Amino acid sequence: MKRSTLVTISGIALAHQASHISAWSPTQSSAFTSISSSHRSEKRPSCRPLAMSSTDKEIDMESLHLTPELEMMTKAFARIPDEKTRHKQLLYMASKLEEVGDDVRVPENKVPGCLSTVHVDCVLVPKEDDESEKVVKYFGDSDGLLTKGLLALLIRGLSGCTPEQISKVDPKFIQAAKISQTLTPGRNNGFLNMLAVMKKKAVDAADVGTNGDEITATNDDKNGDVSEAETIDNTSREIVTSFEEIEGKPMYNAIMSTLITLLKPNSISLVDNSHQHAGHGGAKGWEESGESHFQLEIVAEAFEGLSLVKRHQLIYMVLGEVMSKIHALEIRAKSPSD
């Protein structure tokens, strides 16, 4: 008789045999030994630290600052014995992602730098066991099945927690879950961009809840073309909302568009110094458009409380695959209080 193992992910399970793999949803009465009783309830768990089991000593879960749901799924994916089954689990999660309307599929919710088209947004809702506390609820969609599975993983893992808890999540959990082994560099960058957008969305939602006014860029006067850099006022802070695109400079346009969309800077300046390095060996991007070296100056609240190194890392993460196409980016990143 063939032995089969059951890999469970809180309401989703994969039956794995030597010659058969299938995805299924267990009945309400099913009991899983790999999940504590607090996770058998249909209610989303509150954001309390989970105790690490002895089998997870090789993974420093505490350093990843995961939400309880995300930690549970990370451990479950890590226990899946092969890449094919992990891939199948992501596709199954994609099939279970709640449908969204066209009001979500708008430019403000589009995640830049993804191979597939991804839209994600969130709202603040009262916490189930404490209505005085607000938590984030995400929703979104993608036209790529694997990307949709990654989005479903993030939506499920981050929903139900506070913006502060979400902002601390380390994207390296994708490696601890062994999911990164199945991702191409392009999809990995897309995953990083999805997480970065979702973190920023959570912070913006919290700001809306605090200030009562939502930060929204208007396009009424653009007539399809991007004009001079425009700003809007939010509680006496100016936020850059657009910039003037330069024809024949795709990297410049991509960097500016991504940083403005995700970091919502108070000010931003990007200078193309590629002409100073023309003909230098190893200058990435030179053959494509002549763009290889840039100087960036940016002021954004997203940098508040971050060290210089962390600010640079945030910019690298947000820009994703663009960084692999240029040779150098000189960065001066400040917060409004600097």
Side-chain angles (χ1 to χ4, degrees):
M1 186 173 71
K2 297 175 182 177
R3 290 185 63 188
S4 66
T5 58
L6 188 65
V7 181
T8 59
I9 304 184
S10 185
I12 300 176
L14 287 176
H16 180 265
Q17 293 182 338
S19 60
H20 179 69
I21 300 175
S22 62
W24 59 283
S25 282
T27 61
Q28 193 172 12
S29 60
S30 299
F32 304 128
T33 56
S34 63
I35 303 178
S36 65
S37 60
S38 63
H39 292 296
R40 294 185 186 126
S41 169
E42 291 183 353
K43 290 185 177 181
R44 182 175 300 278
S46 60
C47 291
R48 298 188 303 270
L50 290 182
M52 289 182 59
S53 66
S54 59
T55 59
D56 293 318
K57 289 182 179 178
E58 70 275 13
I59 301 176
D60 185 8
M61 302 297 280
E62 290 187 5
S63 67
L64 300 178
H65 304 292
L66 302 181
T67 68
E69 187 80 0
L70 198 53
E71 181 174 346
M72 180 276 297
M73 288 192 291
T74 297
K75 291 178 181 179
F77 266 100
R79 287 194 294 268
I80 294 177
D82 60 87
E83 182 178 314
K84 182 178 180 180
T85 311
R86 282 192 292 272
H87 187 275
K88 190 175 182 69
Q89 179 68 72
L90 286 172
L91 296 183
Y92 180 72
M93 294 183 73
S95 71
K96 297 299 179 182
L97 186 61
E98 185 177 347
E99 292 293 327
V100 298
D102 291 337
D103 58 323
V104 176
R105 299 184 186 93
V106 292
E108 307 90 89
N109 296 333
K110 186 176 180 181
V111 178
C114 290
L115 297 178
S116 303
T117 302
V118 182
H119 294 92
V120 65
D121 201 3
C122 68
V123 293
L124 282 184
V125 297
K127 192 174 181 180
E128 289 184 358
D129 55 358
D130 183 5
E131 293 190 357
S132 64
E133 184 176 7
K134 301 294 185 181
V135 294
V136 180
K137 179 182 179 181
Y138 288 101
F139 38 87
D141 192 22
S142 173
D143 60 0
L145 284 179
L146 184 58
T147 304
K148 189 173 181 178
L150 293 171
L151 178 63
L153 176 71
L154 289 173
I155 287 178
R156 180 172 171 177
L158 301 179
S159 291
C161 292
T162 66
E164 292 76 16
Q165 291 166 323
I166 293 169
S167 66
K168 294 177 182 178
V169 171
D170 191 327
K172 290 181 181 177
F173 80 84
I174 202 77
Q175 299 171 10
K178 300 181 181 178
I179 296 175
S180 60
Q181 299 173 8
T182 68
L183 302 182
T184 62
R187 280 204 173 92
N188 186 66
N189 286 331
F191 164 78
L192 294 176
N193 288 345
M194 278 191 285
L195 180 57
V197 168
M198 293 173 77
K199 287 183 175 183
K200 194 71 179 76
K201 287 277 187 181
V203 172
D204 289 346
D207 287 343
V208 170
T210 301
N211 301 323
D213 295 314
E214 185 173 2
I215 302 175
T216 306
T218 59
N219 298 313
D220 295 340
D221 300 321
K222 294 185 180 178
N223 299 319
D225 297 322
V226 181
S227 59
E228 294 285 340
E230 298 178 6
T231 63
I232 57 176
D233 186 44
N234 179 59
T235 61
S236 301
R237 297 190 308 267
E238 288 188 338
I239 305 296
V240 178
T241 61
S242 66
F243 70 103
E244 184 175 4
E245 289 188 357
I246 301 178
E247 186 176 355
K249 296 291 184 180
M251 293 187 192
Y252 171 90
N253 296 334
I255 292 172
M256 288 290 287
S257 176
T258 301
L259 293 179
I260 289 174
T261 300
L262 297 183
L263 298 184
K264 291 183 170 55
N266 301 102
S267 67
I268 182 170
S269 171
L270 184 66
V271 179
D272 184 356
N273 292 325
S274 303
H275 65 281
Q276 300 176 4
H277 305 273
H280 289 190
K284 299 177 185 177
W286 186 258
E287 294 182 0
E288 295 180 16
S289 61
E291 300 169 277
S292 61
H293 292 70
F294 291 93
Q295 179 179 317
L296 171 68
E297 294 187 9
I298 181 170
V299 178
E301 288 192 3
F303 302 134
E304 198 73 55
L306 298 182
S307 66
L308 181 62
V309 172
K310 290 291 185 182
R311 294 177 183 184
H312 287 199
Q313 289 176 343
L314 176 59
I315 292 172
Y316 296 150
M317 181 183 72
V318 166
L319 291 179
E321 61 184 7
V322 175
M323 289 302 302
S324 65
K325 296 180 180 180
I326 63 176
H327 188 76
L329 178 63
E330 180 184 342
I331 301 173
R332 297 178 183 174
K334 299 180 178 180
S335 67
S337 62
D338 288 347

